[in-house]
């Protein structure tokens, strides 16, 4: 088959490996997905991930995030395993997705809003209730018995 004079020959570059990023939502089964060219290093991947999920994050500082690789545990279930940044090229090939986790920080806790929901202990469990018609961010009147001191740290507050 002959080619017309002046016609260009098109060659396609080798396909660049890609990586699927997964944004996980703490304590919820929701996940968001994005795909990008495979970053060369862990720090590059953090920057890419932050750029892929701008509506889900409160900060763009990489130290507030952790990347984890999808792998199977001994029981055969998929789990997210911490990636040592030094081993990024060895472990992350683009075949398995990488999840983006926000790393809780005490600094973010101290600067953030605090919402209290009234609760009471009933039959060994805590029953949480909000006042009728209350919306997140709105205030309501409480009596002196409902007051609580702000926890001193993130670690104290989460337990």
């Amino acid at each position: 088959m002959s080619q017309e004079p002046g016609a260009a020959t098109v060659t396609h570059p080798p396909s660049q490996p890609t990586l699927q990023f997964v944004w996980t939502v703490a304590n919820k089964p929701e996940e968001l997905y994005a795909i990008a060219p495979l970053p060369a290093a862990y720090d590059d991947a953090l920057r890419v991930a932050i750029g892929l999920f701008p509506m889900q994050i409160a900060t763009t500082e990489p130290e507030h995030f952790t990347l984890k690789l999808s792998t199977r545990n001994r029981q055969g279930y998929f789990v997210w395993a911490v990636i040592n940044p030094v081993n990024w090229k060895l472990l992350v090939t683009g075949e398995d997705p990488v999840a983006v986790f926000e790393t809780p920080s005490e600094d973010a806790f101290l600067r953030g809003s605090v919402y209290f929901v009234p609760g009471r202990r009933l039959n060994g469990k805590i029953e949480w209730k909000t006042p009728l018609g209350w919306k997140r961010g709105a205030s309501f009147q409480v009596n002196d018995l409902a007051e609580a001191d702000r926890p001193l740290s993130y670690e104290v507050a989460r337990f």
Side-chain angles (χ1 to χ4, degrees), residues 16-31:
Q16 181 176 3
T18 59
L19 181 61
Q20 183 182 58
F21 288 88
V22 182
W23 177 266
T24 59
V25 180
N27 301 320
K28 294 184 181 177
E30 301 168 22
E31 292 180 338

Side-chain angles (χ1 to χ4, degrees), residues 27-149:
N27 301 320
K28 294 184 181 177
E30 301 168 22
E31 292 180 338
L32 300 174
Y33 298 88
I35 194 162
L38 179 63
Y42 184 90
D43 292 339
D44 296 334
L46 274 176
R47 283 190 290 281
V48 168
I50 289 168
L52 290 171
F53 301 105
M55 299 301 291
Q56 287 71 38
I57 62 174
T59 179
T60 58
E61 299 168 12
E63 61 269 14
H64 293 288
F65 299 93
T66 303
L67 299 178
K68 297 183 181 184
L69 184 64
S70 176
T71 188
R72 289 188 183 267
N73 67 10
R74 288 184 289 199
Q75 291 78 29
Y77 297 108
F78 280 103
V79 295
W80 296 113
V82 174
I83 303 167
N84 183 334
V86 174
N87 296 321
W88 175 263
K89 281 190 173 188
L90 178 67
L91 299 173
V92 181
T93 62
E95 293 178 19
D96 297 308
V98 167
V100 184
F101 286 85
E102 275 194 277
T103 306
S105 74
E106 187 167 315
D107 183 50
F109 169 75
L110 293 174
R111 288 179 302 164
S113 299
V114 177
Y115 298 96
F116 290 100
V117 177
R120 67 179 178 162
R121 192 170 295 279
L122 185 64
N123 298 327
K125 294 183 179 179
I126 297 178
E127 179 182 271
W128 301 103
K129 291 197 174 200
T130 56
L132 187 62
W134 180 78
K135 302 285 185 223
R136 184 177 178 160
S139 61
F140 58 92
Q141 297 295 319
V142 294
N143 63 32
D144 291 339
L145 296 176
E147 291 182 7
D149 291 330

